[in-house]
Amino acid sequence: MPLSFSNQRILVTGGAGFLGKQVVNQLIHAGADPAKITVPRSRDYDLTQMEACRRAVDQQDIVIHLAAHVGGIGLNREKPAELFYDNLMMGAQLIHAAYEAGVKKFTCVGTICAYPKFTPVPFKEDDLWNGYPEETNAPYGVAKKALLVQLQAYRQQYGFDGIYLLPVNLYGPEDNFDPRSSHVIPALIRKVHEAQLRGERTIPVWGDGSPTREFLYSTDAARGIVMGTQFYAEPEPVNLGTGYEISIKDLITLICELMDYDGELVWETDKPNGQPRRCLDTQRAKDKFGFTAEVEFREGLRNTIHWYRNHASRITG
């Protein structure tokens, strides 16, 4: 029996962010009343504090937990302790507060960083515990993976309906383009754009270009999260992805092509590559709640580049 969003009070942590805005839109599209969707802002609710978590979940029927302290390899290397503590405390306390408050459904959005460094490709959910995550993002990945254990334990002991979804790397308009904390696609788009503005003929890129990644467009991810919330009620984690794998070298070549940049790439091989390969097995999401990604990668990249070029002057100040 699918969960109806009609007349449900829904809390979306991180709902003002890049993915969160899309999730709110998809909730409304699926029948939620906009007036009953609450988006707590970090200035009012420090979710690392239990009191704030209890205030946030009070009177709520459904909680979708997207809020995270997250960034790319640079931030993972610079602030591993903060990433571990903040993400663990936010999630663990919010889940407990939601259980205490009698929340009917809790959807926790995890991270692909939780998978072991050398997971067989494509990543299957059953491989999640077969090794330690890639070192640069392990503190973040382990903190988020602990929330899966918590949800499974609360389901077993209390009958609490909490689900855990694992979206692959996200991208799309309104992504984080701050070079200190951005992920690979917005970081590369910004590098190319600024090289064009300055007339530079070379662009430095971290690593050697060999790692592969899979990317999920933000509207597809949001649709998957809302479908999971509505149609899935089991303890096993579920991947959200496209099943399409591309190397970093091919990715930046495509970005350069779409942005009409013909300069040279300089690979900084003293910088970390991150996890060698990432590509998901997406069959469980299709089987359990009918989710498949719809936005083709080149189209999604074009949309993201177009949005950034229209907003770059405001973003960069």
Side-chain angles (χ1 to χ4, degrees), residues 28-246:
I28 295 166
H29 183 70
D33 179 349
K36 294 192 173 183
I37 298 173
T38 300
V39 175
R41 302 308 296 263
S42 56
R43 62 177 174 268
D44 304 314
Y45 294 86
D46 176 359
L47 296 178
T48 64
Q49 303 298 316
M50 185 52 129
E51 179 273 332
C53 291
R54 287 192 170 121
R55 275 195 298 119
V57 302
D58 185 44
Q59 305 296 312
Q60 299 296 327
D61 299 305
I62 298 166
V63 174
I64 299 177
H65 179 44
L66 307 173
H69 186 176
V70 62
I73 289 178
L75 187 70
N76 278 302
R77 294 176 85 202
E78 183 188 347
K79 297 186 173 179
E82 286 182 32
L83 292 175
F84 180 83
Y85 181 85
D86 289 352
N87 289 292
L88 181 64
M89 298 307 287
M90 275 196 287
Q93 295 186 129
L94 198 69
I95 290 168
H96 189 72
Y99 154 68
E100 287 184 323
V103 166
K104 298 175 194 170
K105 183 65 170 264
F106 192 105
T107 297
C108 184
V109 175
T111 173
I112 212 66
C113 299
Y115 273 101
K117 181 173 182 176
F118 297 108
T119 308
V121 176
F123 294 9
K124 290 182 166 63
E125 293 92 344
D126 294 342
D127 290 330
L128 198 56
W129 296 100
N130 293 343
Y132 194 70
E134 197 277 324
E135 294 80 5
T136 54
N137 55 40
Y140 171 66
V142 170
K144 296 289 275 187
K145 189 155 62 167
L147 306 180
L148 168 61
V149 178
Q150 184 178 7
L151 287 171
Q152 290 174 332
Y154 278 49
R155 180 181 291 274
Q156 181 183 339
Q157 186 171 344
Y158 305 133
F160 183 64
D161 185 8
I163 66 166
Y164 191 88
L165 306 176
L166 283 155
V168 77
N169 299 51
L170 303 180
Y171 74 107
E174 298 191 67
D175 203 342
N176 169 25
F177 287 85
D178 183 335
R180 294 165 298 182
S181 57
S182 58
H183 287 106
V184 61
I185 286 179
L188 293 175
I189 289 172
R190 179 165 177 159
K191 273 188 177 183
V192 172
H193 178 77
E194 292 182 348
Q196 287 175 313
L197 289 181
R198 293 194 288 256
E200 293 172 353
R201 303 298 303 147
T202 61
I203 292 178
V205 188
W206 275 27
D208 62 14
S210 64
T212 65
R213 293 292 180 264
E214 174 184 346
F215 298 97
L216 181 63
Y217 195 63
S218 55
T219 52
D220 273 337
R223 195 168 47 81
I225 289 163
V226 170
M227 288 175 73
T229 303
Q230 197 162 19
F231 298 106
Y232 187 64
E234 296 177 34
E236 289 79 24
V238 181
N239 288 334
L240 297 178
T242 63
Y244 171 71
E245 184 180 13
I246 185 170

